[in-house]
Amino acid sequence: MSPLAGTAAPVTPDAFRAVMGAHPGGVSVVTTADESGQPYGFACTAVCSVSLDPPLLLVCASNTGSTLPVLAARGAFVVNFLHGPGQRAAEAFASRTAGRFSRVPWEPAPATGLPALHEDSHALAECRVERLVPAGDHTVVIGEVLRTEVAEDAAASGGSATAPLLYGMRRYVTWPV
């Protein structure tokens, strides 16, 4: 018999949140826009590379948020990988309050024209939606990476201004350099 087999009680949402929160992850803001140009976005720690050939990544989007339907309809999105000073963007996009894009500077990304948070990011990936996979209360969005950017000092030196922002154990920290 497996050591994990047995009659364990179902895992509660709070217990699952606690175990996942104990493992820090990089913080990103996923952005898109509707057909009229209205920007949408959400904070995300569920970002993962999927494939090098073709270049694919995934993000997990809440089924109840306002961004997923817009992202699916638009068929494109930008992953803004936040650096330490980008915590303000993380906090703005983790909230469900309106006006998130008025709280952070942004500009259209070169390939997709979608919102890019250059001042708060050390890297970004512009993506085309490859596939949407329903998974519980979220949807796994697989994107083909069309274009990337990495801040020069992030690639060369890991400078503190561009060190990645992490979230875990209910707090933000910057990757030590």
Side-chain angles (χ1 to χ4, degrees):
M1 180 154 91
S2 165
L4 296 178
T7 57
V11 175
T12 66
D14 286 341
F16 186 63
R17 187 175 293 115
V19 75
M20 294 309 297
H23 181 72
V27 182
S28 301
V29 171
V30 176
T31 57
T32 192
D34 66 17
E35 60 187 31
S36 71
Q38 176 70 37
Y40 288 79
F42 61 92
C44 182
T45 57
V47 178
C48 180
S49 63
V50 174
S51 168
L52 288 175
D53 187 18
L56 301 174
L57 60 72
L58 69 77
V59 299
C60 295
S62 172
N63 293 337
T64 60
S66 60
T67 303
L68 180 59
V70 174
L71 186 154
R74 181 65 182 250
F77 60 98
V78 177
V79 180
N80 299 273
F81 298 93
L82 302 185
H83 54 56
Q87 182 175 334
R88 66 182 174 157
E91 291 168 346
F93 284 89
S95 74
R96 291 197 177 261
T97 59
R100 292 176 273 196
F101 282 91
S102 66
R103 295 169 54 190
V104 298
W106 63 275
E107 59 192 31
T112 60
L114 298 174
L117 309 179
H118 285 106
E119 288 186 27
D120 293 308
S121 303
H122 66 94
L124 65 79
E126 294 182 73
C127 303
R128 179 186 61 79
V129 173
E130 172 73 23
R131 187 173 313 148
L132 300 171
V133 182
D137 60 5
H138 279 64
T139 294
V140 177
V141 180
I142 299 174
E144 178 181 5
V145 180
L146 305 173
R147 182 181 168 281
T148 64
E149 256 181 60
V150 178
E152 276 187 39
D153 56 344
S157 68
S160 61
T162 57
L165 180 65
L166 305 174
Y167 184 80
M169 301 168 72
R170 296 184 173 216
R171 62 187 172 118
Y172 292 99
V173 297
T174 301
W175 184 273
V177 289

